[in-house]
Amino acid sequence: MSRRIAVSVAAGVVVLAGAGAYALAYAGEQPPALTHSAARYSAPAGDRDGSLSFTTGVTASSGIKSVKVLAWPATSSLAEQKLTAVDMAAAERAVCTPAGKHTVHCTYTTTVTPTDAASSPHGAWHIGVLAEANNGTTTLDNEAAGFTVR
């Protein structure tokens, strides 16, 4: 009887070790995680250009390959269709700096000229973000942050 118990315990240890290895491998393939995303829009005033700034933290155990950012008006067709990775292919890259072992802090800033502001739809806007990890996994957040154009 004690031999049966020993065999059962050994089999249980093998199963648990295999499950643990699978969980650890699976955890390594998790897509990038976005945290603390925020946008700030300043309209042009007088002779001064305005700006749009977006910041986010991105974490991935394999490291971050790229972070792309796209601002889009809430009244556009993207509100119904949602952004795709294909839409984000031509988006501009954020500049990322290390902020921990597996985390980077990314910033995207662009100038908003008076002409840009005059030709842009007023109202709510969203920031779409595509983060790609070194292992090829991606995260697409259609509405990582928002701002208002007045």
Side-chain angles (χ1 to χ4, degrees):
M1 190 83 157
S2 65
R3 182 177 168 107
R4 254 191 240 172
I5 291 172
V7 169
S8 294
V9 168
V13 168
V14 169
V15 167
L16 287 175
Y22 173 77
L24 192 57
Y26 179 73
E29 295 298 318
Q30 292 294 314
L34 302 174
T35 58
H36 307 295
S37 298
R40 182 168 182 243
Y41 173 78
S42 297
D47 327 0
R48 184 184 59 83
D49 287 340
S51 65
L52 170 63
S53 296
F54 171 76
T55 60
T56 191
V58 187
T59 302
S61 59
S62 68
I64 300 299
K65 182 176 181 180
S66 71
V67 175
K68 292 186 173 186
V69 177
L70 178 68
W72 58 277
T75 56
S76 73
S77 62
L78 292 175
E80 292 176 16
Q81 299 171 347
K82 300 293 181 191
L83 288 172
T84 67
V86 172
D87 296 324
M88 296 297 292
E92 296 183 38
R93 285 182 178 244
V95 175
C96 300
T97 56
K101 186 174 181 181
H102 302 292
T103 303
V104 294
H105 180 77
C106 302
T107 303
Y108 170 78
T109 304
T110 189
T111 301
V112 179
T113 67
T115 303
D116 294 334
S119 64
S120 296
H122 287 64
W125 281 64
H126 302 290
I127 302 283
V129 178
L130 177 65
E132 182 179 2
N134 287 334
N135 66 6
T137 59
T138 61
T139 294
L140 175 59
D141 187 341
N142 289 308
E143 298 179 17
F147 62 96
T148 303
V149 175
R150 300 180 204 270

